[in-house]
Amino acid sequence: MMRTGREIRVRTYPAGSVSPDDFEVVEVAVPRPGPGQVLVRNTWTSVDPGLRLRLRPDAPSGYFTAFALGRAMDGIMTVGEVVESRAEGFAPGDVVWHAQGWREYAVVDAGAEQLGGLGTLTRLDVDECEPQWYLGPLGGMGLTAYAGLYVVDALRGGETVWVSAAAGAVGSLAVQIARLMGNRVVASAGTDDKVDWLRDRLGADAFNYRAGNIEARLGDIAPDGIDVYFDSVGGTHLEAALSQLRRGGRVAMCGSISEYESGSAGPRNLFLAVSKDLTLRGFRGSSNLHLMGQMRRRMTEWLRSGELDYRETVFAGLQSAPHALTEMIAGRTAGKTLVSLG
Amino acid sequence: MMRTGREIRVRTYPAGSVSPDDFEVVEVAVPRPGPGQVLVRNTWTSVDPGLRLRLRPDAPSGYFTAFALGRAMDGIMTVGEVVESRAEGFAPGDVVWHAQGWREYAVVDAGAEQLGGLGTLTRLDVDECEPQWYLGPLGGMGLTAYAGLYVVDALRGGETVWVSAAAGAVGSLAVQIARLMGNRVVASAGTDDKVDWLRDRLGADAFNYRAGNIEARLGDIAPDGIDVYFDSVGGTHLEAALSQLRRGGRVAMCGSISEYESGSAGPRNLFLAVSKDLTLRGFRGSSNLHLMGQMRRRMTEWLRSGELDYRETVFAGLQSAPHALTEMIAGRTAGKTLVSLG
């Protein structure tokens, strides 16, 4: 009997805010794997801010190509279990990751590069951790947090580092890595609950960016300025950082979620980079795969010792994925946003 | 008899375009030097784009403080001859530089740091060069061009480097240094005369940025993209660069002359820094004084061998300095803009 599974497709590119109505859930026949292919039953799938960027016909260039309309969405990280394998090195029962998420079953070409190498089908060691951690601290999120601090030389410690969207998947890891490496960390988020968590559990000097002028709040909490800004927000956050950075300061830019729905105007005070010798460093986690090994060694140690607090917001069932995305963009999730597929 | 000399003062901060009417020329008594001071008769004074930034009450922070109204303008590089010295190490007849330009005579404190060290009173070796070269290739201009390429690792060669405002004082040096170090150089300027000079004399692939869409012109001339952008213009130039930079590309930002009179909107496509792993590096020449030695050694060699073409636009007499500034900002000068004081 033919196996069937559900997948999510983009129906329309949203004009303003994304809504679950922009998607549809479709039941499709699951093909058998061909030679060199593996059939995976996905168990966890990822919900990332970057997905919003790909819901635009004019997605920015680079790796962020738009999702095609009316087909399964490609290039979303997911974890699953091998059901049937016709590829060497993979056997039924193996836990793997790959980049064909937002669907219940996927036929994956073993060895085909996905997401710049990050999402290529890979067996995962789950002896001492939960499988979904590979979508969080042990995967792309951990790599993005770690690599961002690495590329702006913020792992040596002794500086003041500001992390925005600090209760999010990447932000909460960046906060903790920066602190564990010996920096003073300032963290901002958009609800008082998140701010409490950042302060009480993650040991950061935290503030709610919605409670007044960001630059003034930052100035209060770090009157001597900041050395590093870890940016996944852009907009007025980035302007506040440029204003408060000390001479020789650095910005690690991994996204600008504040601009994904509204478009970007660009920081009006970029000239301060000249007058203060600042460096703005854009980066993607997947451009830093060479750091995956050292990141996982450190992260695993911190997770085992309990020094790293890892938080998830889990939505159950594939049909909840679009809702999970809109909740995350609205700032109503904390930590890593995931969909469990059972 | 009391010696007198003329100095230029800012009368009003210009509202839109700067005009000679914003300045006044005043004849003042020249004081005698006190202990530790030197009286210098200035012979050449510098006209730099950065001066425009300081003609604003809201000058950006960093080293760019606004000029005070109604007094001699401080912090402008100048070359002159010592007339009288009460400071050790300086004698009448010495050729020196310091940062009290835009006036005919200056009493300078020997040893007092000026312009972050760049403008501190210093004796100059003019055995084998013209004194005013220290306001061009052997001074802050040379240092800015050299340091900009240095900090974005563009001295190793083998890449495609775009230099804007390429017929200007810094730009024309950056073009030539980049080329002499083994890069392919794309150069842009705003008149056909300048473009001809850049192509025929400086060996660059040059285009007139006023003759059509900048991004399209850049795409035509460098269809495989650029690796490095040397920016002293900002605005749509910077946006075109972000669009055309290859993965891992770098921007050396030393100013944004296009925005000094109109204000800045910020690059609307800064997100491309994330998707393409770009680095934007703001810098000031004076933050890189440690490179002055190696810069001068290389520059002197190229000047002697005739490999480096150095161009000046000279205005005669102190009273012409405001006019020289407006001409330079309007793009009607080429190479280093100077005022000779005789």
Side-chain angles (χ1 to χ4, degrees):
Chain A
M1 202 183 102
M2 192 70 168
R3 197 194 299 265
T4 65
R6 293 180 303 166
E7 66 185 30
I8 294 185
R9 298 175 177 179
V10 182
R11 266 192 339 114
T12 51
Y13 297 120
S17 294
V18 61
S19 133
D21 293 341
D22 298 317
F23 300 88
E24 57 188 345
V25 184
V26 178
E27 179 117 15
V28 296
V30 176
R32 303 287 301 272
Q37 293 186 323
V38 167
L39 174 64
V40 181
R41 183 175 65 79
N42 293 335
T43 53
W44 292 91
T45 197
S46 188
V47 180
D48 309 302
L51 302 187
R52 178 63 185 86
L53 269 183
R54 304 179 57 200
L55 293 166
R56 289 161 40 171
D58 63 337
S61 71
Y63 274 54
F64 299 92
T65 51
F67 291 118
L69 296 178
R71 330 185 327 201
M73 296 160 74
D74 60 310
I76 304 180
M77 291 302 293
T78 199
V79 162
E81 220 177 280
V82 173
V83 175
E84 187 179 346
S85 173
R86 294 187 65 192
E88 212 172 330
F90 296 92
D94 283 352
V95 176
V96 293
W97 82 12
H98 61 89
Q100 288 165 242
W102 285 48
R103 69 194 85 174
E104 292 174 322
Y105 288 91
V107 174
V108 185
D109 288 319
E113 187 176 289
Q114 293 190 57
L115 288 179
L118 181 64
T120 306
L121 185 72
T122 305
R123 284 176 54 198
L124 303 173
D125 176 359
V126 291
D127 286 352
E128 304 194 43
C129 70
E130 300 296 327
Q132 76 273 23
W133 291 10
Y134 284 98
L135 300 177
L138 302 182
M141 302 297 119
L143 185 59
T144 300
Y146 189 87
L149 295 167
Y150 180 94
V151 297
V152 298
D153 197 21
L155 294 178
R156 62 189 149 108
E159 296 190 302
T160 299
V161 177
W162 174 31
V163 180
S164 61
V170 170
S172 61
L173 296 171
V175 163
Q176 296 181 86
I177 297 168
R179 188 179 51 72
L180 288 161
M181 297 307 286
N183 295 288
R184 180 193 166 202
V185 180
V186 176
S188 57
T191 71
D192 288 340
D193 272 2
K194 292 177 179 178
V195 167
D196 290 345
W197 178 63
L198 290 165
R199 186 177 44 234
D200 300 341
R201 297 292 303 274
L202 304 198
D205 292 322
F207 70 94
N208 185 335
Y209 74 85
R210 297 192 210 251
N213 176 281
I214 301 176
E215 187 177 327
R217 298 301 311 272
L218 192 57
D220 288 343
I221 214 162
D224 297 330
I226 57 175
D227 301 294
V228 170
Y229 171 49
F230 191 102
D231 185 34
S232 46
V233 176
T236 51
H237 278 73
L238 179 55
E239 289 184 346
L242 290 169
S243 167
Q244 297 299 312
L245 278 160
R246 284 204 275 256
R247 273 197 69 188
R250 293 93 70 202
V251 180
M253 304 192 294
C254 68
S256 46
I257 193 171
S258 73
E259 298 168 358
Y260 292 171
E261 304 219 294
S262 60
S264 167
R268 288 161 296 181
N269 57 353
L270 185 59
F271 185 81
L272 292 174
V274 177
S275 56
K276 296 195 288 189
D277 291 285
L278 308 180
T279 300
L280 286 76
R281 181 73 157 80
F283 73 100
R284 286 178 300 117
S286 58
S287 302
N288 293 278
L289 293 179
H290 59 288
L291 299 174
M292 186 73 96
Q294 58 172 283
M295 179 281 286
R296 276 196 185 150
R297 277 192 300 279
R298 285 182 153 149
M299 212 69 100
T300 305
E301 204 174 288
W302 291 326
L303 283 164
R304 274 191 201 143
S305 67
E307 289 172 284
L308 195 124
D309 196 27
Y310 169 57
R311 200 168 168 186
E312 294 171 347
T313 302
V314 177
F315 294 77
L318 182 70
Q319 72 289 343
S320 66
H323 177 62
L325 178 63
T326 61
E327 288 295 289
M328 184 195 59
I329 288 178
R332 288 190 290 266
T333 63
K336 175 62 191 168
T337 303
L338 292 166
V339 174
S340 67
L341 304 179
Chain B
M1 201 187 100
M2 192 72 168
R3 196 195 299 266
T4 64
R6 293 180 302 166
E7 65 183 33
I8 294 185
R9 298 175 177 178
V10 181
R11 267 188 341 111
T12 50
Y13 297 122
S17 294
V18 61
S19 133
D21 294 341
D22 298 317
F23 301 87
E24 58 189 344
V25 184
V26 179
E27 178 118 15
V28 294
V30 176
R32 303 286 301 272
Q37 292 185 323
V38 168
L39 174 64
V40 181
R41 183 175 65 79
N42 293 335
T43 52
W44 292 91
T45 197
S46 187
V47 180
D48 309 302
L51 302 187
R52 179 62 186 87
L53 268 183
R54 303 180 58 202
L55 293 166
R56 289 161 41 171
D58 63 336
S61 71
Y63 274 54
F64 299 92
T65 52
F67 290 117
L69 297 179
R71 334 186 322 204
M73 296 161 73
D74 61 310
I76 304 181
M77 291 303 291
T78 200
V79 162
E81 221 177 279
V82 173
V83 175
E84 187 179 347
S85 173
R86 295 187 64 192
E88 212 172 329
F90 296 93
D94 283 353
V95 175
V96 293
W97 81 12
H98 61 89
Q100 289 166 240
W102 285 48
R103 69 194 85 174
E104 291 174 322
Y105 287 92
V107 174
V108 185
D109 288 320
E113 187 176 291
Q114 293 190 59
L115 288 180
L118 181 64
T120 306
L121 185 71
T122 305
R123 284 176 54 200
L124 303 174
D125 177 358
V126 291
D127 286 351
E128 304 195 43
C129 70
E130 299 297 326
Q132 76 273 23
W133 291 9
Y134 285 96
L135 300 178
L138 302 182
M141 303 296 118
L143 186 59
T144 301
Y146 189 87
L149 295 168
Y150 180 94
V151 297
V152 298
D153 198 20
L155 294 178
R156 62 189 148 108
E159 296 189 303
T160 298
V161 176
W162 175 31
V163 179
S164 61
V170 170
S172 60
L173 295 172
V175 162
Q176 296 181 83
I177 297 168
R179 188 180 50 74
L180 287 161
M181 297 306 287
N183 296 288
R184 181 193 166 201
V185 179
V186 176
S188 57
T191 71
D192 289 340
D193 271 1
K194 291 177 179 178
V195 168
D196 289 345
W197 179 62
L198 290 166
R199 187 179 42 235
D200 299 340
R201 299 291 303 273
L202 304 198
D205 293 321
F207 70 94
N208 185 336
Y209 74 84
R210 297 191 210 251
N213 177 280
I214 301 176
E215 187 177 327
R217 297 302 310 273
L218 191 57
D220 287 343
I221 214 162
D224 297 329
I226 57 175
D227 302 293
V228 169
Y229 171 48
F230 190 103
D231 184 34
S232 47
V233 177
T236 50
H237 278 73
L238 179 55
E239 289 183 346
L242 290 169
S243 167
Q244 297 298 313
L245 277 160
R246 284 205 275 256
R247 272 197 70 186
R250 293 93 69 202
V251 180
M253 304 191 294
C254 68
S256 47
I257 193 170
S258 73
E259 298 167 359
Y260 292 171
E261 305 220 293
S262 60
S264 167
R268 288 160 296 181
N269 57 353
L270 184 59
F271 185 80
L272 292 175
V274 177
S275 57
K276 296 194 289 189
D277 292 284
L278 308 180
T279 300
L280 285 75
R281 181 74 158 76
F283 73 101
R284 286 178 299 117
S286 59
S287 303
N288 293 278
L289 293 179
H290 60 288
L291 299 175
M292 186 73 95
Q294 56 173 283
M295 180 279 287
R296 277 196 185 149
R297 275 192 301 279
R298 284 183 154 150
M299 212 70 98
T300 306
E301 204 172 288
W302 291 325
L303 283 164
R304 273 192 203 144
S305 67
E307 289 171 285
L308 195 122
D309 195 27
Y310 169 55
R311 198 168 170 186
E312 295 171 346
T313 302
V314 177
F315 293 78
L318 183 70
Q319 72 288 345
S320 65
H323 177 62
L325 178 63
T326 60
E327 289 294 290
M328 185 196 58
I329 288 178
R332 288 190 290 265
T333 63
K336 175 61 189 167
T337 304
L338 292 167
V339 175
S340 67
L341 305 178

